[in-house]
Amino acid sequence: MLKQITLALLAITTVPAFAFEPTRPVEFVVTSGPGGGTDNFARTVQSIIAKHKLIDAPVVVTNKGGGSGAEGFVYAAGYKGDPYKLTFGTNNEYLLPSVAAVPYAPEDLTPVATLALDEFLIWVNGQSKFGDVKSFVEAAKAKPKAIQFGGSQSKDTDQILVSTIAEVTGAEFRYIPFKGGGEAGVQLAGGHIDANVNNPNENRGQWQAGMVKPLCVFRPDRFPQSAPVHDGKGWHDIPTCAEAGLAIDSYRMPRTVWLPAGVEEDVVVFYRDVLKKVSETPEWADYVAKTSQTSQFMTGDEFTAYQAKDRETVLKVLKREGWLVK
Amino acid sequence: MGNFGYLMDGFATVLTAHHLMIMMIGVMLGILVGVLPGLGAPNGVSLLLPLTFTMEPISAIILLSCMYWGALFGGSTTSILFNIPGEPSSVATTFDGYPMAKNGQATRALTLAFMSAGIGALAGVVMITLLSGWVARFALQFSSPEFFAVYFLAFGSFIGMSDNAPAKTLVTMMLGFAFATVGMDTISGSLRLTFGIPDLIKGISFLVAVMGLFGIGELLLTTEEGLRFDGIKARVRPIDVLKTLKEMPRYGWAILRSTLIGIWMGITPAGPTAASFMSYGLARRFAKDKSKFGKGDPRGIVSPETADHSAGTSALLPMLALGVPGSATAAVMMGGLMIWGLTPGPMLFIDRPDFVWGLIASMYLGNVVAVLLVLATVPLYASILRVPFSIVGPVIVAIIFSGAYQVANSTFDMWLVLGFGILGYLFKTLDYPIAPLVLAMVLGDKAEDAFRQSMLMSNGSLTIFWSNPLVSGIMALGVLMLIWPLIAKAAGLRGLRRHTAGHQAKV
Amino acid sequence: MAELEKQFLSRKTMEMVTALLTAGAGLAICYGSWRSGIGWSEMGPEAGYFPFYVGVLIILGSLVTLLRSLFFYRHEGEVFLTMEKARSVLGFFLPLVAFMVISLLLGLYVGTALYICGAMMWQGGYRWWIAALAALAVTGLFYLVFEIGFQVPLLKGPIEGWLGIY
């Protein structure tokens, strides 16, 4: 009874709803621990929304990075139809269910938008004898499994990329999983592993000091012009892998935002518009430039198509390696 | 003495009314966050992060790092007063801190803890000032085998110290390992021991386990003697703080040893939790009179606290110099550095000496401010024990359950706390030691990851743990520590004096 | 001693119950690890390798404890809990469980207020209005610190929903 009265009262007080407008705090669910790449992404979006007052309701950020991010997706999937749970992730949203027995399906979340693409590079130690990716691959072919690739997590984007490199070139590598890209970066700087495939942001500090150096980047074209980082070389001077003779045109990781399944269409539209505005601010441009990512706003069919293609490519690798969860 | 000049410049930057004010605010917020078990330093720091976007980087890092110091102090407070470690690294402080508070000496216990923590932190900063360049290079030599060796050393120095039945020690320690493995496995990328329960995917939170085992378990034990606190008979006099300060020099040797352990564990970087356990284990092992350990021995408070804080402070060096966060809190701060437009890494010392040395100067001052603030409030904290149990008991329970919920916004964790509480009560009354469980839970999965990474690197050959002087040295030390009780026993049969001389020669 | 205080539970029983409990946990751990592979592959130990032996050791340790308490029992005749102590412990533990169940149903704020109020009235013997005021004060403080100060939400139930607090 009381509930009905309250509902009736709510119906009077709220504006007749053509479009969704949040009336209570919005929770940003971050599928990584504090300080991780996804965490920085979500908190940047939060700070931009706060600064430009893009959402009237307060925004609360919670970290749910357990189980490589599965914790956050399972949590959000449990709030079917809830318009107040915005989940931040990467392509792990649709990859995790394929490699681990996690209790959610990619369809349990509604895609809202992709805001940026993070890049991957092949990095070697600063003192390494390899100056380009060709000699690196030749060396790997000459001695199978001698080259040690470090990376973040297992059966995740890093290892999938290493496996793809192996497939394309016919070389064999040994892959060593670490807890995160930062650890893989330090292991490379210390010369304990031979290479890693870190994102630009994870190795930038070591590159500045000349402790690591990039061989090539998995972008369709080179990075835009920017200030030199080390020894007169900047991001633009790094060749693309395809141009350096490693036939992988593009391998990137989208920075994605999701809602629980079953939300109304106007809710998706509302957040899509907010995120669109976020991606047009100077602060966003600044974040993307500082972390050497590529700003790319994708929603709707474009996002779905990207996702389908990404998934297809990755599933091939997973199938070949036998990593698909039974 | 280039560093010294930079440091003086740093002090000039930091010693302004504005920055001192920020320090005080940071420390006080930190204490609050540290006292409430569900919040914790990483949470508090990430919450303040958006506030700092518009601040000068140096002011921002002072705020965040002072919050971190405050949280470390706050964590020790609840360990001593209620046997609830606010932070993982203050678990070892409960072993003697809580009994001492229970004996009616809460003021003394808190003062000892805060003073030694302050000394440890300052020692850590001095080390950073003098050795920053060398330490960064040294830390780079550590790879998975070396990490495993360091964890092994921490285990070796701590276990074998309990007088309990070996079978019971084995059971609790192994349970700790098992709890640590629940969830996603880093090396294989698959889920383990989750038994299809969605709530177990994220693993079993260390904090939840500790709040149950120590907090609820201890409350249940306390109520056996009626619904009251024993500490209630304690008289709280501010003069006790000064009296305790005067007894500090007596623990000089323990402080020195713990500082060295802390710095070593901080830069290697096994972290503050391992450091505090190792330091406690060694303090007990090398004490002539062990009978009072676990019953309120001052050395049992001074040693883990000193090591905890010197490790916590030294762990910031790898973060600045290499860009590797040594802890969750450091990870958040690193995120902050990037947002402020600074790149953590080796070049930070060269490109932005003003920032780095300003931060180091603020570490000196921030810790002094923190120690003064907490010492001044000791009588206040200690008098909480005088509030009747029928009020404080339920409030603690409410804080524990709220904290358990907040760790991951999960009601499942509330059930877990209850379960761990009953387990803690059973274990305590039946003389199962809980400390090995906690240590295994903290280091277990890290040790396993390091071991399996090493196996990947060596193609499954165990010789990798003896492959270079560094790793062999640490492993040998670990083995020595592990079999030390046996050696001591054997030597003890031949005469205690000769054994003492022998160990001094070795160490 | 045992004559003066009525025995509620003997220590021997509890030793055995606990040992069986840990042995059960050990079995579960072994089964769980066995499902994720307990071998030693070319990549080193598999995911379940270490946990499996951890489980085995738990079972062994529990069996030793069980046998010791059955046959070589040192604490023969010792009391685990006397009637009086049991009443005291349960007097604290049962309200605690009630608090948790209420919190799961009605949210942590309502649970905390009711629990503190109840505990102060029945265990502390305070008058109802003092207890109610104290409970409200603590709950209010929680709200200020958690929701407003640190923006970490606590579990909420239907009552907050009716009041329009999210």
Side-chain angles (χ1 to χ4, degrees), chain A residues 34 47 64 67 71 101 103 148 154-155 174 176-179 186-187 192 201 204 206 208-209 211 290, chain B residues 53 140-143 184 186-189 191 201-202 322 324 332 338-339 343 346-347 408 449 453 456-457:
Chain A
S47 71
K64 292 190 175 296
E71 182 193 353
Q148 303 193 346
S154 187
K155 301 175 189 166
R174 206 179 313 163
I176 299 168
F178 293 93
K179 273 255 187 300
V186 175
Q187 290 299 308
H192 303 292
N201 205 33
R204 169 202 305 267
Q206 277 99 4
Q208 276 182 352
M211 293 159 94
K290 266 183 201 161
Chain B
F53 293 158
L140 268 185
Q141 300 193 0
F142 275 73
S143 185
M184 185 67 83
T186 314
I187 308 295
S188 71
L191 292 168
I201 291 177
K202 60 179 189 292
L322 298 172
V324 220
V332 182
M338 289 180 201
I339 293 175
T343 310
M347 296 310 278
D449 278 356
Q453 280 157 359
L456 285 174
M457 290 175 177

Side-chain angles (χ1 to χ4, degrees), chain B residues 113-417:
Chain B
F114 293 152
M115 269 315 285
S116 36
I119 295 172
L122 285 181
V125 196
V126 170
M127 187 278 307
I128 292 184
T129 315
L130 298 177
L131 300 175
S132 57
W134 177 80
V135 165
R137 257 175 287 133
F138 178 69
L140 268 185
Q141 300 193 0
F142 275 73
S143 185
S144 307
E146 287 82 4
F147 284 134
F148 178 76
V150 170
Y151 300 136
F152 180 72
L153 172 62
F155 273 112
S157 351
F158 189 75
I159 58 165
M161 60 160 272
S162 73
D163 302 325
N164 303 75
K168 290 180 173 174
T169 311
L170 180 75
V171 167
T172 54
M173 182 169 208
M174 290 302 139
L175 278 176
F177 279 124
F179 293 145
T181 46
V182 174
M184 185 67 83
D185 168 36
T186 314
I187 308 295
S188 71
S190 53
L191 292 168
R192 289 193 289 187
L193 298 182
T194 53
F195 302 104
I197 303 169
D199 292 287
L200 281 180
I201 291 177
K202 60 179 189 292
I204 295 178
S205 156
F206 173 78
L207 267 174
V208 169
V210 162
M211 281 192 276
L213 287 171
F214 286 82
I216 300 284
E218 187 60 39
L219 281 173
L220 289 174
L221 206 63
T222 308
T223 51
E224 276 193 357
E225 309 300 328
L227 299 176
R228 61 187 166 78
F229 270 128
D230 288 337
I232 197 160
K233 49 184 179 279
R235 301 240 319 270
V236 180
R237 287 172 308 184
I239 193 77
D240 287 344
V241 176
L242 297 175
K243 267 195 197 155
T244 313
L245 290 183
K246 264 170 68 188
E247 71 175 292
M248 283 307 285
R250 256 189 267 162
Y251 315 116
W253 168 232
I255 291 177
L256 182 67
R257 182 186 52 226
S258 311
T259 309
L260 294 179
I261 294 172
I263 291 176
W264 161 257
M265 297 303 255
I267 57 184
T268 48
T273 312
S276 58
F277 273 94
M278 188 170 161
S279 176
Y280 184 88
L282 291 184
R284 203 195 132 149
R285 190 168 289 180
F286 292 137
K288 285 206 189 78
D289 170 23
K290 297 185 181 35
S291 63
K292 283 203 324 244
F293 272 91
K295 300 187 186 101
D297 192 307
R299 286 166 299 179
I301 301 175
V302 169
S303 304
E305 277 296 310
T306 313
D308 170 9
H309 284 244
S310 59
T313 316
S314 342
L316 280 186
L317 186 62
M319 168 190 123
L320 287 170
L322 298 172
V324 220
S327 65
T329 318
V332 182
M333 289 194 217
M334 250 179 67
L337 287 182
M338 289 180 201
I339 293 175
W340 307 324
L342 301 168
T343 310
M347 296 310 278
L348 194 61
F349 277 84
I350 295 157
D351 292 344
R352 293 295 300 271
D354 54 324
F355 174 82
V356 172
W357 290 99
L359 170 61
I360 294 175
S362 87
M363 286 157 90
Y364 281 98
L365 288 173
N367 274 300
V368 173
V369 168
V371 171
L372 290 178
L373 267 180
V374 286
L375 279 184
T377 46
V378 160
L380 184 74
Y381 289 128
S383 50
I384 297 178
L385 287 182
R386 294 170 62 92
V387 179
F389 183 83
S390 58
I391 302 176
V392 174
V395 171
I396 299 176
V397 170
I399 290 181
I400 289 177
F401 277 93
S402 311
Y405 174 76
Q406 283 162 343
V407 167
N409 287 15
S410 151
T411 48
F412 182 76
D413 284 344
M414 290 165 63
W415 289 106
L416 273 184
V417 156

